Amino acid sequence: SKVLRLSLTAYVRARQQGYDTKQLLTVIDYSKPSSEKRLWVFDIKKGKVLLNTWVSHGKNSGFASSNSFSNINGSLKSSIGVFVTDKPYFGGHGISLRMKGLEKGVNDNAYDRNIVF
């Protein structure tokens, strides 16, 4: 799929910049509705899919399908692009990972916006 090809290209770039030591890649295909399993976690080193599950999107990104994204604090929209995760912590919905956006002007406010997995 186009989303997977773009994700792998972005992963290689991020890895070349020293961002990935665990060789794990998470992909969300926002072209699919939230009623479908649209999140995958890949173990790149072992060439295996570790997880394929459902994932929600920001309240203002759309209803069943996401069609609007933002980098602006308070927009309540999902961000797109390449991210790395911060250390796990116990949040209001259990174990959480805060996201750091790597693309200036696209998702670099994600950490300050408290976008989490």
Side-chain angles (χ1 to χ4, degrees):
S1 85
K2 181 180 179 181
V3 171
L4 187 54
R5 273 194 309 277
L6 290 170
S7 300
L8 287 170
T9 300
Y11 170 80
V12 169
R13 283 191 197 128
R15 187 157 166 75
Q16 288 170 343
Q17 295 172 11
Y19 283 108
D20 180 44
T21 56
K22 296 181 181 174
Q23 296 187 28
L24 296 174
L25 171 64
T26 301
V27 175
I28 299 172
D29 185 350
Y30 282 124
S31 70
K32 297 179 181 293
S34 58
S35 59
E36 291 183 28
K37 291 182 177 184
R38 60 181 183 170
L39 179 143
W40 293 264
V41 177
F42 300 98
D43 183 326
I44 299 296
K45 193 173 187 176
K46 294 180 181 174
K48 292 174 61 173
V49 176
L50 299 179
L51 181 67
N52 176 218
T53 192
W54 299 272
V55 65
S56 62
H57 49 264
K59 178 181 178 179
N60 290 339
S61 280
F63 183 66
S65 295
S66 47
N67 53 29
S68 183
F69 305 94
S70 179
N71 192 33
I72 299 171
N73 199 9
S75 68
L76 302 180
K77 293 182 180 183
S78 293
S79 285
I80 57 174
V82 180
F83 300 85
V84 293
T85 55
D86 203 9
K87 295 177 182 144
Y89 69 97
F90 195 81
H93 298 286
I95 296 174
S96 303
L97 295 168
R98 205 157 164 193
M99 308 298 292
K100 294 180 182 179
L102 300 181
E103 298 182 65
K104 188 168 179 57
V106 175
N107 64 13
D108 57 337
N109 290 328
Y111 194 85
D112 293 337
R113 293 178 63 208
N114 293 314
I115 295 181
V116 299
F117 267 102

